[in-house]
Amino acid sequence: MLSRAEEKSLLAKSPAFDDMFVSLSSAPKLPAGLVRETRQVMALARKFNDEVVRPYVRELDLAMHDNPDFLPYEFVSRANEWGLYTLWIPRLFGGRGYNMASMSVFVEEIGSVCLAMANLIGVHYLGVATLCAPWNVRMINRVCRDVAAGEKSGVPCLISLAITEPGAGTDVEEVDLSDKGNITCHAKRVDGGYLVNGSKIFISNGHISTWHMLIAYTDLKKPSENTVMMAVRTGTKGFSFGRMEHKMGQKGCPASELIFKDCFIADEDVCYDWNQAAPPKRGRKAATQQVIDFVVSATRAGVGAFATGAARGAFEEALAFAAETRVNGRLLINHEWAQSLLAEMYKNVVTSRLAYMETNYANGLYGFFRLMHQKLIFYYLKHVPTIIIEKFIAPLLDSPTVTRIFRHVMADRQTDDEIHRCSGLASLAKFASSDAGIRNCHLALDLMGQAGLRHDRRAEKFLRDAKLLQIYEGTNQLNRLNLFKCLIGRDYPQANVFEE
């Protein structure tokens, strides 16, 4: 047998064992309660589909077609009543405390019926992830408890992410690209805070959100080293909404323009500023990229789940059509060519699901979910009485010491290899699943022919909705390059990424 040193050396070679078998490594370490909880989430999603999504899916799409400025307050209110905007917020911060990885299963289920409505829920957690990524515990507690209060009052409180700019889309998700983009959202340091000028575009849920996680820059010539992240509440002086995008797909989820004109953001609303925080283990650029990677490593897996839902929805529509349609006197489902096509579509669904689930395992073991997936913390927060959290734990969350502890545990103790593993797998899940989703939509239309173009058959809607999945959370081209950077090029010092 090999010695431990030989084994470690051989398994570290590319492709490394830890990159290849994240789920196998995770199995003994993750709480068994995650399985039970995920089953509950899937059941809830199917019930929500039956009672809310399916009865409304055509009505919402047509309402947006007739009036592109329509806002889906009715659906958002129903989702709020079901507790879906706090379900994955930790109990520590006033939420229901379900594990974040289970949300991927939820959005796949909802996305298999309507991606727009899945997005109206899922994009809120993009905002939550951005709020949490800098580990500013005081701000996390404050904003998340505002969301919880909105659930209790019946007035939904959603969070959006305001990052994309008119002249810089994908560029803002990689610090190595941000200095090359035409970035214009400027945060000028003034007494007590920042004065922000600029605009953001394509902001999902913008018009219906209460809080907006704004990414701005104190030096537009070198944004990679001067990123500031702040929470802006709707109604803040100097902040206004511009137009809504008139989209081809996912019509039900608004994409908004956000405008900032001499908008003052107080220091108490700043979530991340390298200059004001205790110096992290990494330098400016690396620390900023780590914060971004905490977000996208989780949310790109979510896009993979959306895409798996689209692939599955297209497959299920094609399967139902084949089971009831006759060609040359035989049901289409009994033709060998149709069976092969349906098998190909089913393969795309399953492999896409495996990709996003593997990423979630990585996030639970090495990344964004790591702390909440530790067995002791998972079961403690699951079973501790709410009164104990509210009376003894919550008052401590405003302490700067707690933020320093979280940042040390979650940021400083995360290795570069762990960052690359989570980020690389997330990019893989994102582009592989969204490409597979588009492929299934095309195959569904191939099988269904002219019938697939009918609005009531929904195949054409899946295709319209799925295209956006290849674009947001970084274009698929960017994600391919990020995968190369994180999991391939790291073994070749001569390989440079994002330099052209």
Side-chain angles (χ1 to χ4, degrees), residues 131 136-145 211 213 230-232 267-272 397-398 403:
L131 169 67
N136 184 327
V137 179
R138 176 186 61 81
M139 284 299 302
I140 298 171
N141 189 48
R142 177 185 167 197
V143 176
C144 284
R145 288 185 179 277
W211 286 97
M213 300 308 302
M230 50 195 78
V232 183
D267 283 335
E268 66 178 17
D269 292 327
V270 175
C271 300
Y272 174 77
L397 300 180
D398 287 345
T403 290

Side-chain angles (χ1 to χ4, degrees), residues 233-269:
R233 211 177 198 282
T234 296
T236 299
K237 185 179 179 181
F239 165 51
S240 61
F241 294 110
R243 70 189 185 99
M244 283 173 51
E245 298 295 333
H246 297 174
K247 299 189 294 181
M248 175 181 72
Q250 296 194 34
K251 289 176 176 287
C253 180
S256 310
E257 179 185 22
L258 276 54
I259 300 170
F260 303 90
K261 188 173 182 179
D262 291 335
C263 180
F264 176 74
I265 309 298
D267 283 335
E268 66 178 17
D269 292 327

Side-chain angles (χ1 to χ4, degrees), residues 186-490:
H186 183 237
K188 179 182 178 181
R189 184 67 191 166
V190 295
D191 289 341
Y194 288 96
L195 204 62
V196 179
N197 284 279
S199 64
K200 300 290 182 175
I201 60 170
F202 307 138
I203 307 306
S204 297
N205 283 358
H207 275 76
I208 57 175
S209 292
T210 302
W211 286 97
H212 310 272
M213 300 308 302
L214 173 64
I215 311 298
Y217 308 89
T218 57
D219 183 352
L220 299 180
K221 294 180 180 179
K222 197 70 172 175
S224 63
E225 298 183 4
N226 295 279
T227 301
V228 180
M229 183 184 297
M230 50 195 78
V232 183
R233 211 177 198 282
T234 296
T236 299
K237 185 179 179 181
F239 165 51
S240 61
F241 294 110
R243 70 189 185 99
M244 283 173 51
E245 298 295 333
H246 297 174
K247 299 189 294 181
M248 175 181 72
Q250 296 194 34
K251 289 176 176 287
C253 180
S256 310
E257 179 185 22
L258 276 54
I259 300 170
F260 303 90
K261 188 173 182 179
D262 291 335
C263 180
F264 176 74
I265 309 298
D267 283 335
E268 66 178 17
D269 292 327
V270 175
C271 300
Y272 174 77
D273 182 346
W274 197 91
N275 293 308
Q276 292 180 291
K281 176 181 176 182
R282 295 173 172 85
R284 288 172 182 261
K285 286 180 66 173
T288 300
Q289 186 64 60
Q290 185 183 23
V291 170
I292 293 171
D293 280 333
F294 271 128
V295 178
V296 297
S297 294
T299 59
R300 285 172 180 167
V303 175
F306 281 123
T308 304
R312 184 173 134 200
F315 162 72
E316 290 172 351
E317 286 297 322
L319 180 61
F321 178 83
E324 66 186 24
T325 302
R326 290 186 177 274
V327 175
N328 296 328
R330 295 167 57 201
L331 284 174
L332 186 56
I333 200 172
N334 291 327
H335 287 258
E336 191 172 285
W337 69 267
Q339 294 170 351
S340 295
L341 187 150
L342 290 166
E344 176 71 12
M345 296 179 74
Y346 185 79
K347 177 266 291 183
N348 288 338
V349 174
V350 174
T351 54
S352 295
R353 184 180 299 123
L354 291 172
Y356 82 69
M357 289 300 292
E358 188 76 356
T359 306
N360 282 337
Y361 279 122
N363 282 314
L365 196 58
Y366 310 113
F368 195 54
F369 312 150
R370 184 175 77 235
L371 187 63
M372 295 302 176
H373 281 193
Q374 291 182 8
K375 291 180 180 179
L376 178 63
I377 294 175
F378 176 85
Y379 286 117
Y380 178 79
L381 290 177
K382 184 62 58 180
H383 299 297
V384 66
T386 301
I387 191 172
I388 299 295
I389 294 176
E390 298 301 319
K391 190 170 183 179
F392 297 105
I393 300 177
L396 301 175
L397 300 180
D398 287 345
S399 167
T401 301
V402 175
T403 290
R404 283 196 294 271
I405 292 171
F406 266 77
R407 284 177 169 167
H408 174 69
V409 171
M410 294 303 299
D412 290 346
R413 294 180 63 181
Q414 188 185 34
T415 69
D416 290 344
D417 277 346
E418 289 170 346
I419 294 172
H420 291 149
R421 188 170 301 125
C422 293
S423 183
L425 288 173
S427 284
L428 171 64
K430 196 272 183 186
F431 75 74
S433 300
S434 56
D435 286 350
I438 287 289
R439 175 64 176 155
N440 266 20
C441 293
H442 283 298
L443 289 174
L445 290 173
D446 286 346
L447 185 142
M448 298 170 71
Q450 187 176 358
L453 299 176
R454 290 176 56 91
H455 190 258
D456 59 348
R457 298 304 309 217
R458 299 194 306 132
E460 60 83 27
K461 181 183 182 300
F462 278 115
L463 179 57
R464 285 189 289 110
D465 288 353
K467 186 60 184 175
L468 186 54
L469 300 173
Q470 294 180 310
I471 301 170
Y472 59 28
E473 291 303 283
T475 62
N476 281 7
Q477 292 89 338
L478 172 86
N479 278 280
R480 283 179 166 84
L481 292 174
N482 187 60
L483 170 62
F484 181 89
K485 179 186 80 171
C486 292
L487 297 180
I488 302 173
R490 63 179 179 177

Side-chain angles (χ1 to χ4, degrees), residues 2 11 30 49 67 98 156 249 266 367 385 388 402 454 493:
L2 300 174
L11 293 182
L30 295 178
N49 266 346
N67 177 15
Y98 277 67
I388 299 295
V402 175
R454 290 176 56 91

